Amino acid sequence: MVQYKATMVERITLPSRADRERALERAGYNVFNLDADDVFIDLLTDSGTGTMSNEQWAALIRGDESYAGSSSFARLEDAVSDVMGFPHVVPAHQGRGAENVLYGTLLGEGDVALNNTHFDTTRAHVANQGADPVDCPVPEAAEPGSAGDFKGNFSLENGWEVVEEVGADRIPVVIQTITNNSAAGQPVSVENTRRVAEFAAEIDATFVIDACRFAENAYFVTEREAEFVEASVTAVAREQLGYADALVMSGKKDGLSNIGGFVATDDPSLADACKQRTILYEGFPTYGGMTGRDMEALAVGLREAVEREYVSDRINQIRTLADLLEDRDVPVYTPTGGHAVYLDADACFPHLPAGEFPGQALVCELYREGGVRGVELGSFAFPDTDRPELVRLAVPRRTYHREHFEHVADTAAAVLERADSVTGLSIRSEPEIPELRHFSAELEPVSA
Ligand SMILES: *Cc1c(COP(=O)(O)O)cnc(C)c1O
């Protein structure tokens, strides 16, 4: 049972089919180019798009906008220390700002960073330092439908192979992303975190946890890892994060806020080095690109994220959406992860070759059919990589209800019913940086 009620609402409307057709054409068959007002159910991302609580709104009013020594920053530090267990906090405007601060401090030209799977902004920031981002996922992560409680884990076998290949000296940083966002939001076990921490210590690397979804991960651990079935979400979060030397965090995820982020560490000299870089790129180290009120909302959000009532409802929402889709025979990635349901576009449109972007075709059809906006994470978003053609339906926190999810599932089922007649897409124009293609490229239907 949901443990909250709505006391503020926002109107949404489903544009007519003719208007949706026109909007899609105007957007160049890229849903990033749609006006949000033209979208009925927006599952593009769960990043900063959730609903804040009354406590968070109340805290906003208390925002101390002092340039230096803001009391709002002190409250954020207290929350990070209480919830995550780290005494030093270096604020940033959002997660990628924190990544720039931390990886710019730790990495240089020719280095290698290991990660269970680099999230796209992490990969870009590692590469931006002249370092090489290498993924070490467990093999089952890439297989939609394979069984496994912790398909987000870091493969130590992979990690040691890279050490043999390039030498430990070239690997100053080992990262673990929890949950593993780029691997369908699959969770990571505490046991795996312990072993990765040992591995990092053995090769004398700094062990970083990308903690964006630490609370969702902790909830999965309480369900699936025998040692922790009696434990609270709070206790698991503290235990798991406690193995890291440093954290990078986006407040837009498990900070339950619309903006914000930070680096946290228990190493005072690393914190000092990061503070210098935050002054350069983000702002003075007692605000780092956030307003005082942003920091207040984030401080409250971090504490709410580890309440079992909140996070069990969150995970159950994702499961509800997946169940409704599966009831209608829509092919989904299983088991479902922490923040989104992933549709298997290859299975939806077996007649479309990879070159015609079956995932993007599915994204466009979901919008055309029901005003639903998802995002492609297959060969359109990741050119030249061999990935399954997935479409992500990310669920904003505390925002939609079962009726909305029923509409999404009915929409997907209606698309599947006419799957044979769906045509592929080709790229009409694209930006210069291939890694950023899916944000702004324009497409057109492949003529029959
Ligand atoms: C969202 C995210 C980031 C980047 O955070 P932003 O706030 O979007 O800049 C980094 N790592 C992971 C795993 C994320 O999910």
Side-chain angles (χ1 to χ4, degrees):
M1 175 66 89
V2 183
Q3 310 264 334
Y4 53 76
K5 61 180 177 177
T7 47
M8 185 188 283
V9 294
E10 180 180 330
R11 175 174 295 286
I12 51 174
T13 43
L14 176 62
S16 70
R17 181 171 281 267
D19 285 344
R20 299 198 298 271
E21 296 278 2
R22 270 194 293 275
L24 200 54
E25 213 173 300
R26 245 190 347 257
Y29 297 87
N30 183 342
V31 293
F32 279 101
N33 297 332
L34 289 171
D35 289 340
D37 284 348
D38 288 334
V39 176
F40 186 44
I41 310 287
D42 201 350
L43 307 182
L44 183 72
T45 175
D46 66 327
S47 179
T49 55
T51 302
M52 290 208 297
S53 67
N54 55 345
E55 297 293 340
Q56 285 178 289
W57 281 106
L60 284 177
I61 307 294
R62 200 168 53 201
D64 174 0
E65 307 301 341
S66 303
Y67 188 95
S70 163
S71 63
S72 300
F73 178 67
R75 273 186 285 277
L76 175 60
E77 277 186 311
D78 286 348
V80 174
S81 164
D82 290 350
V83 175
M84 305 173 103
F86 287 82
H88 304 293
V89 180
V90 183
H93 75 284
Q94 64 183 88
R96 69 199 69 183
E99 290 179 328
N100 180 31
V101 164
L102 182 66
Y103 298 130
T105 305
L106 294 175
L107 288 170
E109 198 72 36
D111 286 340
V112 172
L114 304 182
N115 200 327
N116 41 353
T117 314
H118 287 82
F119 179 68
D120 52 14
T121 60
T122 317
R123 178 176 300 281
H125 274 296
V126 168
N128 197 37
Q129 299 308 321
D132 190 13
V134 177
D135 290 342
C136 301
V138 291
E140 60 271 28
E143 296 159 26
S146 65
D149 284 341
F150 293 105
K151 288 167 74 172
N153 278 355
F154 185 111
S155 163
L156 285 138
E157 207 178 302
N158 248 333
W160 281 115
E161 272 170 29
V162 182
V163 172
E164 291 209 348
E165 213 175 291
V166 307
D169 291 353
R170 279 185 58 203
I171 312 175
V173 176
V174 173
I175 309 163
Q176 193 175 46
T177 305
I178 67 171
T179 58
N180 193 339
N181 187 344
S182 300
Q186 297 295 303
V188 170
S189 69
V190 173
E191 176 56 23
N192 189 249
T193 299
R194 281 184 190 133
R195 295 184 52 216
V196 174
E198 284 163 13
F199 164 72
E202 260 181 75
I203 64 168
D204 210 16
T206 301
F207 178 37
V208 176
I209 292 185
D210 179 330
C212 291
R213 295 186 168 81
F214 76 101
E216 291 168 11
N217 199 83
Y219 179 77
F220 280 113
V221 166
T222 65
E223 279 191 330
R224 298 182 183 178
E225 196 165 354
E227 187 185 337
F228 297 101
V229 287
E230 304 281 321
S232 66
V233 176
T234 317
V236 172
R238 283 290 294 259
E239 166 89 15
Q240 188 162 33
L241 299 177
Y243 293 102
D245 300 311
L247 311 178
V248 268
M249 179 70 189
S250 167
K252 305 174 74 170
K253 319 294 173 50
D254 281 354
L256 310 192
S257 296
N258 300 123
I259 198 70
F262 54 83
V263 173
T265 179
D266 50 14
D267 174 349
S269 58
L270 178 60
D272 282 344
C274 286
K275 280 178 195 167
Q276 295 308 307
R277 222 176 135 80
T278 226
I279 294 172
L280 193 57
Y281 288 103
E282 300 289 317
F284 193 75
T286 57
Y287 72 87
M290 285 181 278
T291 64
R293 51 189 179 273
D294 294 333
M295 293 191 281
E296 294 283 353
L298 177 51
V300 175
L302 282 173
R303 294 182 192 278
E304 290 179 354
V306 289
E307 290 173 359
R308 178 169 289 273
E309 293 77 7
Y310 158 73
V311 71
S312 69
D313 174 57
R314 163 87 177 138
I315 300 299
N316 284 325
Q317 276 214 315
I318 315 294
R319 281 186 192 142
T320 299
L321 175 57
D323 288 347
L324 291 166
L325 287 158
E326 284 190 295
D327 287 349
R328 291 157 178 77
D329 296 323
V330 178
V332 302
Y333 181 109
T334 57
T336 48
H339 63 289
V341 177
Y342 291 72
L343 307 181
D344 182 351
D346 278 326
C348 293
F349 302 142
H351 63 293
L352 295 184
E356 295 184 11
F357 306 119
Q360 187 64 10
L362 179 56
V363 167
C364 289
E365 292 308 318
L366 292 172
Y367 177 72
R368 192 198 307 272
E369 183 65 39
V372 175
R373 177 157 70 170
V375 70
E376 197 261 14
L377 293 176
S379 56
F380 177 50
F382 301 100
D384 308 322
T385 58
D386 185 25
R387 295 170 63 101
E389 300 287 348
L390 297 179
V391 167
R392 185 185 73 184
L393 303 177
V395 178
R397 294 167 179 78
R398 304 188 286 211
T399 301
Y400 292 117
H401 306 290
R402 189 184 170 92
E403 290 87 339
H404 298 117
F405 297 144
E406 281 172 355
H407 173 81
V408 173
D410 288 342
T411 297
V415 170
L416 278 192
E417 220 152 87
R418 54 177 177 75
D420 291 348
S421 67
V422 170
T423 55
L425 295 161
S426 64
I427 291 179
R428 188 166 68 198
S429 68
E430 58 187 308
E432 256 167 52
I433 305 175
E435 286 80 15
L436 304 179
R437 173 164 89 176
H438 68 300
F439 292 113
S440 55
E442 296 196 354
L443 304 97
E444 58 197 5
V446 172
S447 48

